[in-house]
Coordinates of all heavy atoms in Angstrom, one line a residue:
Q1 N -18.8 -11.4 26.6 CA -19.9 -11.1 25.6 C -19.8 -9.7 25.0 O -19.8 -9.6 23.8 CB -21.3 -11.3 26.3 CG -22.4 -11.2 25.3 CD -22.5 -12.4 24.3 OE1 -22.1 -13.4 24.6 NE2 -22.9 -12.1 23.1
K2 N -19.6 -8.8 25.9 CA -19.4 -7.4 25.4 C -18.2 -7.2 24.5 O -18.3 -6.5 23.5 CB -19.3 -6.5 26.6 CG -19.2 -5.0 26.3 CD -20.5 -4.4 26.6 CE -20.4 -2.8 26.4 NZ -21.6 -2.2 26.3
R3 N -17.1 -7.9 24.8 CA -15.9 -7.8 24.1 C -16.1 -8.4 22.6 O -15.6 -7.9 21.6 CB -14.8 -8.6 24.7 CG -13.4 -8.3 24.1 CD -12.3 -9.0 24.7 NE -12.1 -8.8 26.2 CZ -12.0 -9.8 27.1 NH1 -12.1 -11.0 26.7 NH2 -11.9 -9.5 28.4
K4 N -16.9 -9.5 22.6 CA -17.2 -10.1 21.3 C -18.0 -9.2 20.4 O -17.8 -9.1 19.2 CB -17.9 -11.5 21.5 CG -17.0 -12.6 21.9 CD -17.8 -13.9 22.1 CE -16.9 -15.0 22.6 NZ -17.7 -16.2 22.9
E5 N -19.0 -8.5 21.0 CA -19.8 -7.5 20.2 C -18.9 -6.4 19.7 O -19.1 -6.0 18.6 CB -20.9 -7.0 21.1 CG -22.0 -7.9 21.4 CD -23.0 -7.4 22.4 OE1 -23.0 -6.2 22.7 OE2 -23.8 -8.2 22.9
K6 N -18.0 -5.9 20.5 CA -17.1 -4.8 20.1 C -16.2 -5.2 19.0 O -15.8 -4.5 18.1 CB -16.3 -4.3 21.3 CG -17.1 -3.2 22.1 CD -16.1 -2.6 23.1 CE -16.8 -1.4 23.8 NZ -16.0 -0.7 24.7
A7 N -15.7 -6.5 19.0 CA -14.7 -7.0 18.1 C -15.3 -7.0 16.7 O -14.7 -6.6 15.7 CB -14.3 -8.4 18.4
G8 N -16.6 -7.4 16.5 CA -17.2 -7.5 15.2 C -17.8 -6.2 14.8 O -18.5 -6.2 13.7
K9 N -17.7 -5.1 15.5 CA -18.4 -3.9 15.2 C -17.9 -3.2 13.9 O -18.7 -2.8 13.1 CB -18.2 -2.9 16.4 CG -19.3 -1.7 16.3 CD -19.2 -1.0 17.6 CE -20.3 0.1 17.6 NZ -20.2 1.0 18.8
W10 N -16.6 -3.1 13.8 CA -16.1 -2.4 12.6 C -15.4 -3.4 11.6 O -14.4 -3.0 11.0 CB -15.0 -1.3 13.0 CG -15.5 -0.4 14.1 CD1 -15.0 -0.2 15.3 CD2 -16.6 0.5 14.0 NE1 -15.7 0.8 15.9 CE2 -16.7 1.2 15.1 CE3 -17.5 0.8 12.9 CZ2 -17.7 2.2 15.3 CZ3 -18.5 1.7 13.2 CH2 -18.5 2.5 14.4
E11 N -15.9 -4.6 11.4 CA -15.3 -5.5 10.5 C -15.6 -5.0 9.1 O -16.6 -4.6 8.7 CB -16.0 -6.9 10.7 CG -15.3 -7.7 11.8 CD -15.9 -9.1 11.9 OE1 -16.9 -9.4 11.2 OE2 -15.2 -9.9 12.5
V12 N -14.5 -5.2 8.3 CA -14.6 -4.8 6.9 C -15.1 -6.1 6.1 O -14.7 -7.2 6.4 CB -13.2 -4.5 6.3 CG1 -13.3 -4.2 4.8 CG2 -12.6 -3.3 7.1
P13 N -16.1 -5.9 5.2 CA -16.6 -7.1 4.5 C -15.5 -7.6 3.5 O -15.4 -7.2 2.3 CB -17.8 -6.5 3.7 CG -17.6 -5.0 3.7 CD -16.8 -4.6 4.9
I14 N -14.7 -8.5 4.0 CA -13.5 -9.0 3.2 C -13.9 -9.6 1.9 O -13.2 -9.4 0.9 CB -12.7 -10.0 4.1 CG1 -12.1 -9.2 5.3 CG2 -11.6 -10.6 3.3 CD1 -11.1 -8.1 5.0
P15 N -15.0 -10.5 1.8 CA -15.3 -11.1 0.6 C -15.5 -10.1 -0.6 O -15.3 -10.4 -1.8 CB -16.5 -11.9 0.8 CG -16.5 -12.2 2.3 CD -15.9 -11.0 2.9
K16 N -15.9 -8.9 -0.3 CA -16.2 -7.9 -1.3 C -14.9 -7.2 -1.8 O -14.9 -6.6 -2.9 CB -17.1 -6.8 -0.8 CG -18.5 -7.3 -0.4 CD -19.4 -6.1 0.1 CE -20.8 -6.6 0.4 NZ -21.6 -5.6 1.0
V17 N -13.8 -7.3 -1.1 CA -12.5 -6.7 -1.5 C -11.8 -7.7 -2.4 O -11.5 -8.8 -2.0 CB -11.7 -6.4 -0.3 CG1 -10.4 -5.8 -0.7 CG2 -12.4 -5.4 0.6
K18 N -11.6 -7.3 -3.7 CA -11.0 -8.3 -4.6 C -9.5 -8.1 -4.6 O -9.0 -7.0 -4.4 CB -11.5 -8.1 -6.0 CG -11.0 -6.9 -6.7 CD -11.5 -6.8 -8.2 CE -11.0 -5.6 -8.9 NZ -9.6 -5.7 -9.2
P19 N -8.7 -9.2 -4.7 CA -7.2 -9.1 -4.7 C -6.8 -8.5 -6.0 O -7.4 -8.6 -7.0 CB -6.8 -10.5 -4.6 CG -7.9 -11.3 -5.0 CD -9.2 -10.6 -4.7
V20 N -5.7 -7.7 -5.9 CA -5.2 -7.0 -7.0 C -3.9 -7.7 -7.5 O -3.0 -8.1 -6.7 CB -4.8 -5.5 -6.7 CG1 -4.2 -4.8 -7.9 CG2 -6.0 -4.8 -6.2
A21 N -3.8 -8.0 -8.8 CA -2.6 -8.7 -9.3 C -1.4 -7.8 -9.3 O -1.5 -6.6 -9.3 CB -2.9 -9.2 -10.7
D22 N -0.2 -8.5 -9.2 CA 1.1 -7.7 -9.1 C 1.3 -6.8 -10.3 O 1.8 -5.7 -10.2 CB 2.2 -8.7 -8.9 CG 2.4 -9.1 -7.4 OD1 1.5 -8.7 -6.6 OD2 3.3 -9.9 -7.1
D23 N 1.0 -7.4 -11.5 CA 1.3 -6.6 -12.7 C 0.4 -5.4 -12.9 O 0.7 -4.5 -13.6 CB 1.2 -7.5 -14.0 CG -0.1 -8.2 -14.1 OD1 -0.8 -8.3 -13.1 OD2 -0.4 -8.7 -15.2
E24 N -0.8 -5.5 -12.2 CA -1.7 -4.3 -12.2 C -1.3 -3.3 -11.2 O -1.5 -2.1 -11.4 CB -3.1 -4.9 -11.9 CG -4.2 -3.8 -12.0 CD -5.6 -4.4 -11.7 OE1 -5.7 -5.6 -11.6 OE2 -6.4 -3.5 -11.3
M25 N -0.7 -3.8 -10.1 CA -0.3 -2.8 -9.0 C 1.0 -2.2 -9.2 O 1.2 -1.1 -8.8 CB -0.4 -3.7 -7.7 CG -0.2 -2.9 -6.4 SD -1.6 -1.9 -6.1 CE -1.0 -0.9 -4.8
F26 N 2.0 -2.9 -9.8 CA 3.3 -2.4 -9.9 C 3.8 -2.3 -11.3 O 3.3 -3.0 -12.2 CB 4.4 -3.4 -9.1 CG 4.0 -3.5 -7.7 CD1 3.6 -4.8 -7.2 CD2 4.0 -2.5 -6.8 CE1 3.3 -5.0 -5.9 CE2 3.7 -2.8 -5.4 CZ 3.4 -4.0 -5.0
K27 N 4.7 -1.4 -11.5 CA 5.4 -1.2 -12.8 C 6.9 -1.4 -12.6 O 7.4 -0.8 -11.7 CB 5.1 0.2 -13.4 CG 5.5 0.3 -14.8 CD 5.1 1.7 -15.3 CE 6.1 2.7 -14.8 NZ 5.8 4.1 -15.1
V28 N 7.5 -2.2 -13.4 CA 8.9 -2.5 -13.2 C 9.8 -1.3 -13.6 O 9.5 -0.7 -14.7 CB 9.3 -3.7 -14.1 CG1 10.8 -4.0 -13.9 CG2 8.6 -5.0 -13.6
Q29 N 10.7 -0.9 -12.8 CA 11.6 0.2 -13.1 C 13.0 -0.3 -13.2 O 13.5 -0.9 -12.4 CB 11.5 1.4 -12.1 CG 12.4 2.5 -12.5 CD 12.2 3.7 -11.6 OE1 11.7 3.5 -10.5 NE2 12.5 4.9 -12.0
R30 N 13.5 -0.1 -14.4 CA 14.9 -0.7 -14.7 C 15.9 0.4 -14.2 O 15.7 1.6 -14.5 CB 15.1 -1.0 -16.2 CG 14.1 -2.1 -16.5 CD 14.5 -2.7 -17.9 NE 13.8 -4.0 -18.0 CZ 14.4 -5.1 -17.6 NH1 15.5 -5.2 -17.0 NH2 13.7 -6.3 -17.9
T31 N 17.0 0.0 -13.5 CA 18.0 0.9 -13.0 C 19.3 0.5 -13.4 O 19.5 -0.6 -14.1 CB 17.9 0.9 -11.5 OG1 18.1 -0.4 -11.0 CG2 16.6 1.5 -11.0
G32 N 20.3 1.3 -13.1 CA 21.7 0.9 -13.5 C 22.0 1.7 -14.8 O 21.1 2.2 -15.6
S33 N 23.3 1.8 -15.1 CA 23.7 2.6 -16.3 C 23.3 2.0 -17.6 O 23.0 2.6 -18.6 CB 25.2 2.8 -16.3 OG 25.9 1.5 -16.4
K34 N 23.2 0.6 -17.7 CA 22.7 -0.1 -18.9 C 21.3 -0.5 -18.7 O 20.8 -1.3 -19.6 CB 23.6 -1.4 -19.0 CG 25.1 -1.1 -19.2 CD 25.5 -0.7 -20.5 CE 26.9 -0.6 -20.7 NZ 27.5 0.7 -20.5
K35 N 20.6 -0.1 -17.7 CA 19.2 -0.4 -17.5 C 18.9 -2.0 -17.5 O 18.0 -2.4 -18.0 CB 18.3 0.2 -18.5 CG 18.4 1.7 -18.6 CD 17.8 2.4 -17.4 CE 17.8 3.9 -17.4 NZ 18.5 4.5 -16.4
N36 N 19.8 -2.7 -16.8 CA 19.6 -4.2 -16.8 C 19.2 -4.7 -15.4 O 18.9 -5.8 -15.3 CB 20.9 -4.9 -17.3 CG 22.1 -4.6 -16.4 OD1 22.0 -3.7 -15.6 ND2 23.2 -5.2 -16.6
K37 N 19.2 -3.8 -14.4 CA 18.7 -4.3 -13.1 C 17.2 -4.0 -13.0 O 16.8 -2.8 -13.3 CB 19.4 -3.5 -12.0 CG 20.9 -3.8 -12.0 CD 21.6 -3.0 -10.9 CE 23.1 -3.3 -10.9 NZ 23.8 -2.5 -10.0
A38 N 16.5 -5.0 -12.6 CA 15.0 -4.8 -12.7 C 14.4 -5.2 -11.3 O 13.4 -6.0 -11.3 CB 14.4 -5.6 -13.8
W39 N 14.9 -4.8 -10.2 CA 14.4 -5.2 -8.9 C 13.5 -4.1 -8.3 O 13.0 -4.4 -7.2 CB 15.5 -5.7 -8.0 CG 16.5 -4.7 -7.7 CD1 17.7 -4.4 -8.5 CD2 16.6 -3.7 -6.6 NE1 18.4 -3.4 -7.9 CE2 17.8 -3.0 -6.8 CE3 15.8 -3.5 -5.6 CZ2 18.2 -2.0 -5.9 CZ3 16.2 -2.5 -4.7 CH2 17.4 -1.7 -4.9
K40 N 13.4 -2.9 -8.9 CA 12.6 -1.9 -8.3 C 11.2 -1.9 -8.9 O 11.0 -2.2 -10.0 CB 13.2 -0.5 -8.5 CG 14.5 -0.3 -7.7 CD 14.8 1.2 -7.7 CE 16.1 1.4 -6.8 NZ 16.3 2.7 -6.5
R41 N 10.2 -1.6 -8.1 CA 8.8 -1.5 -8.5 C 8.2 -0.2 -8.2 O 8.4 0.4 -7.1 CB 8.0 -2.6 -7.8 CG 8.5 -4.1 -8.0 CD 8.2 -4.5 -9.5 NE 8.6 -5.9 -9.7 CZ 9.8 -6.2 -10.2 NH1 10.7 -5.3 -10.5 NH2 10.1 -7.5 -10.4
V42 N 7.5 0.4 -9.1 CA 6.7 1.7 -8.9 C 5.3 1.3 -8.7 O 4.7 0.6 -9.5 CB 6.9 2.6 -10.1 CG1 6.1 3.9 -9.8 CG2 8.3 2.9 -10.4
V43 N 4.7 1.8 -7.5 CA 3.3 1.6 -7.3 C 2.4 2.5 -8.2 O 2.7 3.6 -8.3 CB 3.1 1.9 -5.8 CG1 1.6 1.7 -5.4 CG2 3.9 1.0 -4.9
T44 N 1.4 1.8 -8.8 CA 0.6 2.6 -9.7 C -0.8 2.9 -9.1 O -1.6 3.6 -9.8 CB 0.4 1.8 -11.0 OG1 -0.2 0.5 -10.7 CG2 1.7 1.6 -11.7
K45 N -1.1 2.4 -7.9 CA -2.5 2.7 -7.4 C -2.3 3.4 -6.0 O -1.2 3.4 -5.4 CB -3.2 1.4 -7.2 CG -3.6 0.7 -8.5 CD -4.6 -0.3 -8.3 CE -4.9 -1.0 -9.5 NZ -5.7 -0.3 -10.4
C46 N -3.3 4.0 -5.5 CA -3.3 4.7 -4.2 C -3.0 3.7 -3.1 O -3.6 2.6 -3.1 CB -4.6 5.4 -3.9 SG -4.8 6.8 -5.0
T47 N -2.1 4.1 -2.2 CA -1.8 3.2 -1.0 C -1.9 4.0 0.2 O -1.7 5.2 0.2 CB -0.4 2.6 -1.2 OG1 0.5 3.7 -1.4 CG2 -0.3 1.6 -2.4
F48 N -2.2 3.3 1.3 CA -2.3 3.8 2.6 C -0.9 3.9 3.3 O -0.2 2.8 3.3 CB -3.3 3.1 3.5 CG -3.3 3.6 4.9 CD1 -4.0 4.7 5.2 CD2 -2.7 2.9 5.9 CE1 -4.1 5.1 6.5 CE2 -2.8 3.2 7.2 CZ -3.4 4.4 7.5
V49 N -0.5 5.0 3.9 CA 0.8 5.0 4.6 C 0.4 5.6 6.0 O -0.5 6.5 6.1 CB 1.9 5.9 4.0 CG1 2.3 5.2 2.7 CG2 1.4 7.3 3.7
G50 N 1.0 5.2 7.0 CA 0.8 5.7 8.4 C 1.4 7.0 8.6 O 2.1 7.6 7.7
D51 N 1.2 7.6 9.8 CA 1.7 8.9 10.1 C 3.2 8.9 10.2 O 3.9 9.9 10.0 CB 1.1 9.4 11.4 CG -0.3 9.9 11.2 OD1 -0.7 10.3 10.0 OD2 -1.2 9.8 12.1
N52 N 3.8 7.7 10.7 CA 5.2 7.7 10.9 C 6.0 7.1 9.7 O 7.0 6.6 9.8 CB 5.5 6.8 12.1 CG 5.0 5.4 12.0 OD1 4.3 5.1 11.0 ND2 5.3 4.5 12.9
F53 N 5.4 7.3 8.5 CA 6.0 6.8 7.2 C 7.2 7.7 6.8 O 7.0 8.9 6.7 CB 5.0 6.7 6.2 CG 5.5 6.3 4.8 CD1 6.0 5.0 4.5 CD2 5.8 7.3 3.8 CE1 6.5 4.7 3.3 CE2 6.3 7.0 2.6 CZ 6.7 5.7 2.3
T54 N 8.3 7.1 6.6 CA 9.4 7.8 6.0 C 10.0 7.0 4.9 O 10.1 5.8 5.0 CB 10.6 8.1 7.0 OG1 10.9 6.9 7.6 CG2 10.1 9.1 8.1
R55 N 10.4 7.7 3.8 CA 11.0 6.9 2.7 C 12.4 6.4 3.0 O 13.1 7.1 3.8 CB 11.1 7.8 1.5 CG 9.8 8.1 0.8 CD 10.0 8.9 -0.4 NE 10.9 8.4 -1.4 CZ 11.5 9.1 -2.4 NH1 11.2 10.3 -2.5 NH2 12.3 8.4 -3.2
K56 N 12.8 5.3 2.4 CA 14.2 4.9 2.5 C 15.0 5.7 1.5 O 14.4 6.4 0.7 CB 14.2 3.4 2.1 CG 13.7 2.4 3.1 CD 14.0 1.1 2.7 CE 13.6 0.1 3.8 NZ 13.3 -1.3 3.4
A57 N 16.3 5.6 1.5 CA 17.1 6.2 0.6 C 16.8 5.7 -0.8 O 16.6 4.5 -0.9 CB 18.6 6.0 0.9
P58 N 16.8 6.5 -1.8 CA 16.4 6.1 -3.2 C 17.1 4.8 -3.7 O 16.6 4.0 -4.4 CB 16.6 7.2 -4.0 CG 16.5 8.4 -3.2 CD 17.0 7.9 -1.8
K59 N 18.4 4.7 -3.3 CA 19.2 3.5 -3.7 C 18.6 2.2 -3.2 O 18.6 1.2 -3.9 CB 20.6 3.7 -3.2 CG 21.5 2.6 -3.7 CD 23.0 2.8 -3.3 CE 23.8 1.7 -3.8 NZ 25.2 2.0 -3.5
Y60 N 18.1 2.2 -1.9 CA 17.6 1.0 -1.3 C 16.1 0.9 -1.3 O 15.6 -0.1 -0.7 CB 18.1 1.0 0.1 CG 19.6 1.0 0.2 CD1 20.2 2.1 0.8 CD2 20.4 0.1 -0.3 CE1 21.6 2.2 0.9 CE2 21.8 0.1 -0.2 CZ 22.4 1.2 0.4 OH 23.7 1.3 0.4
E61 N 15.4 1.7 -2.0 CA 13.9 1.7 -2.0 C 13.5 0.7 -3.1 O 13.6 1.0 -4.3 CB 13.4 3.1 -2.3 CG 12.0 3.4 -2.2 CD 11.7 4.8 -2.4 OE1 12.3 5.5 -3.2 OE2 10.7 5.3 -1.7
R62 N 12.9 -0.4 -2.6 CA 12.5 -1.4 -3.6 C 11.1 -1.0 -4.2 O 10.8 -1.1 -5.4 CB 12.4 -2.8 -3.0 CG 11.8 -3.8 -3.9 CD 12.2 -5.2 -3.7 NE 11.8 -5.9 -4.9 CZ 11.1 -7.1 -4.8 NH1 10.9 -7.6 -3.7 NH2 10.7 -7.7 -5.9
F63 N 10.2 -0.6 -3.3 CA 8.8 -0.2 -3.8 C 8.7 1.3 -3.7 O 8.7 1.9 -2.6 CB 7.7 -0.9 -2.9 CG 7.8 -2.3 -3.0 CD1 8.3 -3.2 -2.0 CD2 7.2 -3.0 -4.1 CE1 8.3 -4.5 -2.1 CE2 7.2 -4.3 -4.3 CZ 7.7 -5.1 -3.2
I64 N 8.7 1.9 -4.8 CA 8.6 3.4 -4.9 C 7.1 3.8 -5.0 O 6.4 3.4 -5.9 CB 9.3 3.9 -6.2 CG1 10.8 3.5 -6.2 CG2 9.3 5.4 -6.3 CD1 11.5 3.6 -7.5
R65 N 6.8 4.6 -4.0 CA 5.4 5.1 -3.9 C 5.4 6.6 -4.2 O 5.9 7.4 -3.5 CB 4.8 5.0 -2.5 CG 4.6 3.6 -2.0 CD 4.1 3.7 -0.6 NE 4.1 2.4 0.0 CZ 3.9 2.2 1.3 NH1 3.7 3.2 2.1 NH2 3.8 1.0 1.8
P66 N 4.9 7.0 -5.4 CA 4.8 8.4 -5.7 C 4.0 9.2 -4.6 O 3.0 8.7 -4.1 CB 4.1 8.4 -7.0 CG 4.3 7.1 -7.7 CD 4.4 6.2 -6.5
S67 N 4.5 10.4 -4.3 CA 3.8 11.2 -3.3 C 2.4 11.4 -3.5 O 1.6 11.6 -2.6 CB 4.6 12.5 -3.0 OG 4.6 13.2 -4.2
G68 N 1.9 11.5 -4.8 CA 0.5 11.8 -5.1 C -0.4 10.6 -4.8 O -1.6 10.7 -4.7
L69 N 0.2 9.4 -4.7 CA -0.5 8.2 -4.5 C -0.5 7.7 -3.0 O -1.0 6.7 -2.7 CB 0.0 7.0 -5.4 CG -0.1 7.3 -6.9 CD1 0.4 6.1 -7.6 CD2 -1.6 7.5 -7.3
R70 N 0.2 8.5 -2.2 CA 0.3 8.1 -0.7 C -0.9 8.8 0.0 O -1.0 10.0 0.0 CB 1.6 8.7 -0.2 CG 2.8 7.8 -0.5 CD 4.0 8.3 0.3 NE 5.1 8.6 -0.7 CZ 6.0 9.5 -0.6 NH1 5.9 10.3 0.4 NH2 6.9 9.7 -1.5
M71 N -1.7 8.0 0.6 CA -2.8 8.5 1.4 C -2.6 8.3 2.9 O -2.3 7.1 3.3 CB -4.1 7.9 0.9 CG -4.4 8.0 -0.5 SD -4.8 9.7 -0.9 CE -4.5 9.8 -2.7
K72 N -2.8 9.3 3.7 CA -2.7 9.1 5.2 C -4.0 8.7 5.8 O -4.0 8.1 6.8 CB -2.2 10.4 5.8 CG -0.7 10.6 5.6 CD -0.2 11.7 6.5 CE 1.3 11.8 6.4 NZ 1.9 12.9 7.2
R73 N -5.1 9.2 5.2 CA -6.4 8.9 5.8 C -7.2 8.1 4.9 O -7.3 8.5 3.7 CB -7.2 10.2 6.2 CG -6.6 10.9 7.4 CD -7.4 12.1 7.7 NE -7.3 13.2 6.6 CZ -6.3 14.0 6.5 NH1 -5.3 13.9 7.3 NH2 -6.3 14.9 5.5
A74 N -7.8 7.0 5.3 CA -8.7 6.2 4.5 C -10.1 6.8 4.6 O -10.6 7.1 5.7 CB -8.7 4.8 4.9
N75 N -10.7 6.9 3.4 CA -12.1 7.5 3.4 C -13.1 6.3 3.6 O -13.6 5.8 2.6 CB -12.3 8.2 2.1 CG -13.6 9.0 2.0 OD1 -14.3 9.1 3.0 ND2 -14.0 9.4 0.8
V76 N -13.4 6.0 4.8 CA -14.2 4.9 5.1 C -15.5 5.4 5.8 O -15.4 6.2 6.7 CB -13.5 3.8 6.0 CG1 -14.4 2.7 6.4 CG2 -12.2 3.3 5.4
T77 N -16.6 4.9 5.3 CA -17.8 5.3 5.9 C -18.5 4.1 6.5 O -18.5 3.0 6.0 CB -18.9 5.9 4.9 OG1 -19.1 4.9 3.9 CG2 -18.3 7.1 4.3
H78 N -19.0 4.3 7.8 CA -19.6 3.2 8.6 C -21.1 3.4 8.4 O -21.6 4.5 8.5 CB -19.2 3.3 10.0 CG -17.7 3.0 10.2 ND1 -17.1 1.8 9.9 CD2 -16.7 3.8 10.6 CE1 -15.8 1.9 10.1 NE2 -15.5 3.1 10.5
P79 N -21.9 2.3 8.3 CA -23.3 2.4 8.1 C -24.0 2.9 9.3 O -25.2 3.3 9.3 CB -23.7 1.0 7.8 CG -22.6 0.1 8.3 CD -21.4 0.9 8.2
E80 N -23.4 2.9 10.5 CA -24.0 3.3 11.8 C -24.2 4.8 11.8 O -23.3 5.5 11.8 CB -23.3 2.8 12.9 CG -23.5 1.3 13.1 CD -22.8 0.8 14.4 OE1 -22.0 1.4 15.0 OE2 -23.2 -0.3 14.9

């Protein structure tokens, strides 16, 4: 019983969080000398990264997160 109470204590109200479309979240970045490769995406909104986040080498980085949009701490307020 106690475990069930603790589990639901910090639940995020999921129905209030709306899904974000891919074209709103990412911008296509064309690469290569003729700019014909289009498999890289640049993130356009703030994203959460953990403390152990390290970037991949730029050549292999599919999702590019600009350093200004990387957040380590989420600003969450609890009603309690």
Side-chain angles (χ1 to χ4, degrees):
Q1 185 67 31
K2 183 102 173 163
R3 192 182 303 129
K4 284 181 184 174
E5 287 173 15
K6 277 191 172 182
K9 195 171 184 183
W10 306 121
E11 276 186 346
V12 177
I14 295 296
K16 293 181 182 176
V17 179
K18 71 175 184 74
V20 181
D22 280 1
D23 56 342
E24 187 183 341
M25 187 73 190
F26 303 116
K27 190 177 78 181
V28 177
Q29 183 170 22
R30 297 194 164 272
T31 56
S33 61
K34 303 278 189 267
K35 301 288 185 242
N36 59 352
K37 296 178 181 175
W39 57 274
K40 288 195 178 191
R41 302 286 182 267
V42 179
V43 178
T44 58
K45 296 193 181 289
C46 289
T47 52
F48 174 77
V49 294
D51 287 329
N52 58 352
F53 172 77
T54 53
R55 282 182 59 195
K56 285 184 177 160
K59 183 177 181 178
Y60 303 113
E61 190 175 32
R62 175 150 190 232
F63 296 104
I64 301 166
R65 296 179 187 166
S67 59
L69 298 177
R70 283 185 233 146
M71 302 293 163
K72 283 193 175 179
R73 285 182 296 281
N75 187 13
V76 178
T77 56
H78 296 293
E80 286 185 340

